[in-house]
Every structure is written in C-alpha cells, then in structure tokens.
C-alpha cells in the first residue's frame, strides 16, 4: 500500500485548494466566496466565526475564531467534514486523479439562539464556586503553575481561580468526565466580564489529556457575543505601560521574570481586535514565534489598529530558536524554561521607549 505522505500531498495541492474545497467540502462555499472576510462557521453556524485566509488557495488555511488557526488544507478538511487523515488524503488523491469522490456536509447547522440570561447565571455560578489559588483546596492549580515555572506570578494575578469539579465535554458536548479546572475571567475591551477560560487539570496538577479527538473547548460561550477584544486582565498597567500575549502561561512567564503586566488575548485572532484601556501609551506585544508566522501576521494587524490611536507598539519575539521538537513554534513561556537571559530584551525595549518619551 502506498504511504500517505502529507508533505508531498500539500506540495501537490498548492494553488488547488479552493477547487478541492468546492468539490469535497461545500460547507466552505461561503468562505470561498468571501476570502479574508469573516462568515458563519461551517461547523457551528453563528454569524461571523470563521474565515479562510486570502492565500488559502495555496495553503488551505483559515481560522475558527475563539478556537484556533487551521493552518493548512488537510487539517481544514479533517475539521469541516469530520474526516480522518487517511480519509482526507484518499479523497484528495481521488480528486487529483479525476476519480469519484465523497462530499462532506452541504448545509450549515441550524444555530440555536443563545439563552444569554441562562448563560450569564451559569458563568456567575461557576465563578462564585471557584476558589482563590491561595486556598488549601486549590493545590492542583498551584501545582499546575509550578510545573510551568510561573507559580509566583499566578498567585499575584487577578481574575484567576480554581474550580474543583467541572464537566469535561468534547466538541459534541458529550460529558467525558469531571475534573478540576483553572479558571480565568475573560473581559471585552470595555472591561466587562463576558466568558471564562478553562484549563482542565488532574488532582496532581497535570493537564487533562483524553486524546486529540476529545479536546474540550477552553473558552465558554460568551455573553454579549458581539463585543470585541476579549482578554484576561491579570495585572494593572504600570505608568501607561502594558503588554499583550496570546497565551495565559506566556503572560505569566513575563511577569514571573520581570514583574511587567501582560494581558493574554487567548488567540492571535482575538488579540488583533484588542484595544488597551485609557491611559496606556505603550504596548509591548509578546509575539509567539510560529512556524507559519501566524503570530507575527496578527501582530502587524494589531499594530495597524493601535498606532492610529496614539499607542506606541513594540513587538518582542522570544530569542530562543525553534527546535525540531517544537511542533508549532516557541513563545515566551518556552523562553523562561530555556534561557531566562532572553528576557533582557524587555529591559532594552522599555529603556528605548522611555528615552523616546522624554
């Protein structure tokens, strides 16, 4: 049997992805007709939760808001059609050979109206049930952050708690178990609480892993869904200075070393629409160094949004190199574990910005 070589398949598909999507995944038709523009999610419906990248004919990539970037076409077909890798590969092989192919779902699912009042009550309830990290019973959360070298920062952070028992559901909302969870309160640009970010952990502080097919959504549904710039306000800005990052652990890593306030935006796509509160004049963006440059591309969009508002933006990529063992890239949390001296870049950036202000 011929080996399924994904690298070779992606090379053969360059410049052909949109035609393949039309043949194999009709749920992507609206996104194809509106490249680079948000459209309803082809899996969950809604109003504007998904888009294909402008270069998707060459990469097959896009992004599902509040979830993740889907960088290439094989992953895209696996997600949108709920196909396995062998299934996607074989259907692409058939399509390239002008042979009959299977077709994925044609219609968007009907979206249930959001019960915002009920959702708000549920979010308030689980937040009130959650414990501060200093509570004796919050040991799993303290252990979790210790394993990531950011325990001191986590204990100083605002809007972070531990819930001892939450339902762990897969993407189809099947309950797979009950686990403790690190909770972080998610706010919009106006500072209003709109959602909760969850990281499910074991009693020993390890991240729960039930396999790639059973990953839960970290972000709860949001109230006030049209609000933008969702983020976690871990620390107060200092003298008009504030940082931003994609991940919670990345933000805590910076504070652990430099006591500089960083707010995680939870994904590079959400971070693009972030606007700091009044009084912030300098924004340090702690950009993930991704193999596909997604973090850097998002940083350019954020800079274009903030600089016209009079906010100085300084992008800082971790100086540690991407290793062969790094699946997607590296971030400042990796920098903390590999070489803490790399955080000297922050001192240089602040010194430069202060000289410019004087």
């Amino acid at each position: 049997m011929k080996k399924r070589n994904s690298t070779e398949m992606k090379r053969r598909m360059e410049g052909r992805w949109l035609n393949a999507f039309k043949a194999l995944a009709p749920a992507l038709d609206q996104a194809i007709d509106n490249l680079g523009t948000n459209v309803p999610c082809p899996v969950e419906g809604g109003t504007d939760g998904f888009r294909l990248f402008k270069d998707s004919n060459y990469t097959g990539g896009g992004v599902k808001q509040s979830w993740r970037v889907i960088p290439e076409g094989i992953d895209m077909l696996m997600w949108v059609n709920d196909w396995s890798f062998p299934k996607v590969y074989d259907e692409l092989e058939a399509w390239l050979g002008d042979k009959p192919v299977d077709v994925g779902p044609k219609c968007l699912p009907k979206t249930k109206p959001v019960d915002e009042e009920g959702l708000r009550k549920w979010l308030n309830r689980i937040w009130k049930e959650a414990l501060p990290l200093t509570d004796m019973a919050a040991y799993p959360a303290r252990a979790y952050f210790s394993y990531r070298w950011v325990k001191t920062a986590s204990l100083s952070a605002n809007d972070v708690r531990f819930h001892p028992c939450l339902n762990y559901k897969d993407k189809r909302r099947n309950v797979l178990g009950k686990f403790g969870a690190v909770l972080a309160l998610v706010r919009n640009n106006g500072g209003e609480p709109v959602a909760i970010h969850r990281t499910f952990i074991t009693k020993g502080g390890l991240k729960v892993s039930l396999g790639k097919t059973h990953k839960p959504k970290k972000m709860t549904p949001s109230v006030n869904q049209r609000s933008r710039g969702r983020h976690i306000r871990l620390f107060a800005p200092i003298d008009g200075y504030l940082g931003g990052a994609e991940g919670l652990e990345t933000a805590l890593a910076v504070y652990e070393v430099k006591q500089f306030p960083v707010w995680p935006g939870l994904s590079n796509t959400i971070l693009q629409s972030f606007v700091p509160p009044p009084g912030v004049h300098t924004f340090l963006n702690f950009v993930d160094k991704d193999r596909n440059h997604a973090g850097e591309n998002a940083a350019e969009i954020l800079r274009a949004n903030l600089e016209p508002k009079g906010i100085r933006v300084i992008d800082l990529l971790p100086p540690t190199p991407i290793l062969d063992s790094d699946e997607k890239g590296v971030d400042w949390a990796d920098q903390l574990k590999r070489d803490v001296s790399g955080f000297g870049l922050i001192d240089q950036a602040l010194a430069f910005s202060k000289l410019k202000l004087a």
Side-chain angles (χ1 to χ4, degrees):
M1 183 177 180
K2 184 178 178 181
K3 182 179 178 181
R4 297 181 177 93
N5 187 324
S6 62
T7 301
E8 176 63 17
M9 176 60 74
K10 285 183 275 191
R11 185 194 64 77
R12 294 166 63 192
M13 287 299 301
E14 287 183 0
R16 299 181 177 183
W17 280 112
L18 296 186
N19 285 334
F21 288 163
K22 282 187 171 292
L24 301 174
L28 292 173
D29 283 352
Q30 189 172 355
I32 293 170
D33 294 338
N34 297 273
L35 286 183
T37 301
N38 284 353
V39 299
C41 173
V43 173
E44 296 181 352
T47 55
D48 59 354
F50 175 79
R51 73 175 182 275
L52 287 173
F53 296 141
K54 290 183 179 180
D55 65 351
S56 59
N57 197 33
Y58 293 90
T59 66
V63 60
K64 176 171 173 13
Q65 303 284 2
S66 304
W67 184 47
R68 70 177 179 94
V69 171
I70 305 170
E72 49 88 14
I74 293 176
D75 277 352
M76 183 66 70
L77 287 172
M78 289 174 64
W79 170 65
V80 76
N81 284 351
D82 195 21
W83 286 351
S84 66
F85 167 75
K87 173 67 173 177
V88 169
Y89 186 97
D90 293 346
E91 293 303 326
L92 287 172
E93 191 74 68
W95 180 78
L96 287 167
D98 291 324
K99 297 178 181 178
V101 295
D102 286 344
V103 179
K106 296 181 180 180
C107 301
L108 289 172
K110 293 182 179 179
T111 304
K112 295 181 179 179
V114 176
D115 176 9
E116 186 151 322
E117 182 179 353
L119 175 59
R120 194 181 299 276
K121 288 181 179 179
W122 175 66
L123 293 173
N124 283 330
R125 177 176 63 79
I126 65 172
W127 186 251
K128 289 178 181 178
E129 291 173 351
L131 308 170
L133 299 190
T134 53
D135 192 285
M136 286 285 290
Y139 166 79
R142 294 194 298 275
Y144 173 83
F145 287 121
S146 292
Y147 295 145
R148 283 151 180 80
W149 300 19
V150 292
K151 179 181 175 181
T152 300
S154 70
L155 292 174
S156 302
N158 301 312
D159 288 352
V160 179
R161 296 183 181 179
F162 172 71
H163 196 292
C165 186
L166 284 180
N167 286 335
Y168 181 113
K169 298 180 180 180
D170 63 15
K171 296 175 186 176
R172 301 185 186 280
R173 300 190 62 76
N174 299 310
V175 177
L176 304 180
K178 293 179 180 291
F179 298 93
V182 173
L183 305 185
L185 190 63
V186 179
R187 301 176 184 270
N188 61 16
N189 281 334
E192 302 166 319
V194 294
I196 293 175
H197 182 272
R198 302 164 295 180
T199 303
F200 289 91
I201 59 176
T202 67
K203 292 180 180 180
L206 300 178
K207 188 178 291 188
V208 174
S209 177
L210 300 181
K212 290 185 177 181
T213 59
H214 297 305
K215 286 187 175 181
K217 286 187 175 181
K218 290 186 176 182
M219 188 91 78
T220 67
S222 298
V223 295
N224 193 5
Q225 291 191 356
R226 293 189 176 275
S227 62
R228 297 171 64 80
R230 284 169 285 180
H231 59 274
I232 302 168
R233 298 193 171 190
L234 297 177
F235 310 101
I238 298 176
D239 297 331
Y241 287 83
L242 180 66
E246 180 178 337
L248 173 61
E249 292 161 25
T250 301
L252 291 173
V254 175
Y255 194 86
E256 185 79 17
V257 180
K258 290 296 181 182
Q259 290 74 59
F260 184 81
V262 181
W263 292 357
L266 306 174
S267 78
N268 56 52
T269 52
I270 295 176
L271 190 60
Q272 293 171 23
S273 61
F274 172 71
V275 177
V280 172
H281 54 67
T282 301
F283 184 79
L284 271 59
N285 190 5
F286 293 88
V287 183
D288 287 2
K289 188 191 293 183
D290 298 316
R291 292 187 184 277
N292 63 1
H293 303 289
E296 294 165 72
N297 293 337
E300 290 182 11
I301 296 173
L302 181 61
R303 174 188 295 276
N305 290 340
L306 296 187
E307 287 186 338
K309 300 180 185 337
I311 299 172
R312 180 189 292 110
V313 179
I314 302 173
D315 294 333
L316 294 175
L317 273 75
T320 188
I322 299 176
L323 305 178
D324 290 342
S325 57
D326 296 318
E327 182 179 352
K328 296 180 180 179
V330 293
D331 55 29
W332 284 90
D334 298 310
Q335 187 70 50
L336 172 60
K337 296 178 181 178
R338 296 178 185 178
D339 183 9
V340 72
S341 68
F343 286 78
L345 286 179
I346 302 173
D347 297 323
Q348 297 174 27
L350 292 175
F352 172 77
S353 68
K354 288 175 182 177
L355 286 172
K356 296 288 284 186
L357 285 172

